[in-house]
Amino acid sequence: IEARLQGARGMAAQIHLQRVAGRSGEAGALLLNFLDTTEQKNLEEQFAQSQKMQAVGQLAGGVAHDFNNLLTAMIGFCDLLLSRHGPGDPSFADLMQIKQNANRAANLVRQLLAFSRRQTLQPKIINITDALAEMSNLLRRLIGEKIDLKVSHGRDVGLVKVDPGQLDQVIINLVVNARDAMAANGGTLTVQTGTEIIDEARNTGTELIPPGDYIRIEVSDTGIGIPKDNLTRIFEPFFSTKQRGEGTGLGLSTVYGIVKQTGGFVAVQSEPGVGTTFTIYLPHYEATEEELAETRAVTEEAPSR
């Protein structure tokens, strides 16, 4: 029989029970074997989860692509009507309301395309430490006064090749989620960077990370945490633990899609009442001298935020 053993580790086992006949005049016996199948079961569950996410992504991408075509036509015709009906026209306010809602729907479609990995990326070679340093003021404004922000960078954090705008979106989505998790009582939001070499494939519970040289970004909060039963579903589109009307349920889906399309991985650890840590693993990029020179030139020309 298959069994899950009680306890924090959640061990799985195959239990084999066999009757052993005794010699003449002697009582028989029972032979009981326990085979630890925890790792095998975890890998099977992770593979099933990966297959489900891929299927959901294909569905979401297909729907989003066709829906985007409809919205493009709606917004275009709305603009034509607005050109005929100026601000003084009685229909102007209604047309603006239609356009605003169409644009809001288009934004949701963009997030679905990000989840399904069908968006167009413009990857550039960047230094994670510099990118987060530029975002620090924006992050402080996002989280408000009740939450302390701590930013810590590892030494000699290398380069990654990502779309800078999409990376900003990943960090902002994680920070906003952390802020909402601490909204009631405040707390501490910690953003850390570092490097990590993974020698053997690592099972994080939600991801199987292959060996490699990675740049790590951790976003931790001291909020309400995520129940264990929800951890495998938090990246699904429209799944949300927030109250109705407080979010679209696409924030973490967008994070998942962008990171996966960039060749990275997302891991999450959470304990209800203690807090949550999201860890982004991005492949370390070895740039050539020409690429480094171009990156330095772009950095010097870019205006500060």
Side-chain angles (χ1 to χ4, degrees):
I1 59 173
E2 303 272 348
R4 278 280 185 185
L5 307 186
Q6 287 186 344
R9 294 178 58 195
M11 289 181 62
Q14 284 184 352
I15 305 170
H16 298 264
L17 183 65
Q18 183 180 0
R19 177 176 175 270
V20 180
R23 296 176 182 175
S24 57
E26 294 182 358
L30 291 176
L31 182 63
L32 194 62
N33 289 321
F34 284 84
L35 298 180
D36 186 351
T37 59
T38 308
E39 186 174 353
Q40 177 187 333
K41 284 294 179 187
N42 288 342
L43 288 173
E44 287 174 358
E45 290 172 3
Q46 203 163 62
F47 179 73
Q49 176 70 7
S50 175
Q51 293 288 91
K52 182 178 77 171
M53 292 294 280
Q54 185 175 353
V56 171
Q58 289 175 343
L59 174 63
V63 171
H65 182 74
D66 291 339
F67 198 54
N68 198 45
N69 293 336
L70 298 173
L71 287 169
T72 302
M74 288 171 61
I75 293 170
F77 283 115
C78 205
D79 285 336
L80 285 174
L81 287 170
L82 283 169
S83 67
R84 298 174 196 163
H85 302 272
D89 192 290
S91 301
F92 180 79
D94 293 335
L95 290 171
M96 283 300 296
Q97 195 67 254
I98 292 171
K99 184 177 180 181
Q100 287 171 5
N101 282 288
N103 283 329
R104 195 173 292 119
N107 186 48
L108 292 179
V109 166
R110 280 193 291 273
Q111 290 177 290
L112 279 174
L113 287 172
F115 168 72
S116 62
R117 295 171 241 171
R118 292 195 184 185
Q119 62 180 348
T120 302
L121 298 182
Q122 296 178 326
K124 296 178 182 176
I125 302 167
I126 65 170
N127 184 299
I128 288 290
T129 301
D130 294 341
L132 288 175
E134 289 180 10
M135 289 187 68
S136 59
N137 288 333
L138 170 62
L139 298 182
R140 290 184 194 280
R141 288 197 297 270
L142 276 175
I143 63 177
E145 297 179 356
K146 291 176 63 177
I147 298 171
D148 294 325
L149 175 64
K150 295 182 179 179
V151 181
S152 172
H153 299 295
R155 296 184 61 184
D156 299 323
V157 177
L159 302 173
V160 293
K161 192 169 186 179
V162 298
D163 184 317
Q166 298 298 329
L167 177 65
D168 287 357
Q169 190 174 355
V170 165
I171 301 301
I172 288 170
N173 280 342
L174 291 178
V175 166
V176 167
N177 264 16
R179 178 199 67 190
D180 293 345
M182 297 183 286
N185 304 311
T188 301
L189 172 65
T190 305
V191 180
Q192 291 182 303
T193 63
T195 59
E196 186 169 351
I197 297 174
I198 297 179
D199 296 321
E200 296 181 358
R202 178 180 299 173
N203 185 349
T204 66
T206 55
E207 290 271 55
L208 186 65
I209 306 175
D213 189 357
Y214 295 95
I215 306 295
R216 191 181 68 244
I217 308 171
E218 289 184 2
V219 179
S220 305
D221 65 63
T222 56
I224 56 176
I226 303 169
K228 187 177 180 181
D229 293 342
N230 291 339
L231 283 178
T232 57
R233 298 195 60 199
I234 56 174
F235 297 118
E236 295 177 14
F238 304 113
F239 178 81
S240 177
T241 57
K242 298 178 183 178
Q243 296 294 322
R244 191 176 184 85
E246 291 184 1
T248 62
L250 285 172
L252 290 178
S253 302
T254 305
V255 168
Y256 180 87
I258 292 171
V259 172
K260 297 297 279 186
Q261 191 171 358
T262 307
F265 302 88
V266 188
V268 57
Q269 290 181 313
S270 187
E271 187 175 339
V274 176
T276 302
T277 298
F278 283 91
T279 306
I280 309 293
Y281 294 89
L282 297 174
H284 178 266
Y285 187 79
E286 289 291 346
T288 63
E289 287 298 325
E290 291 82 2
E291 289 174 324
L292 286 173
E294 290 177 11
T295 303
R296 281 193 289 267
V298 170
T299 304
E300 290 169 3
E301 293 176 6
S304 57
R305 298 186 189 186

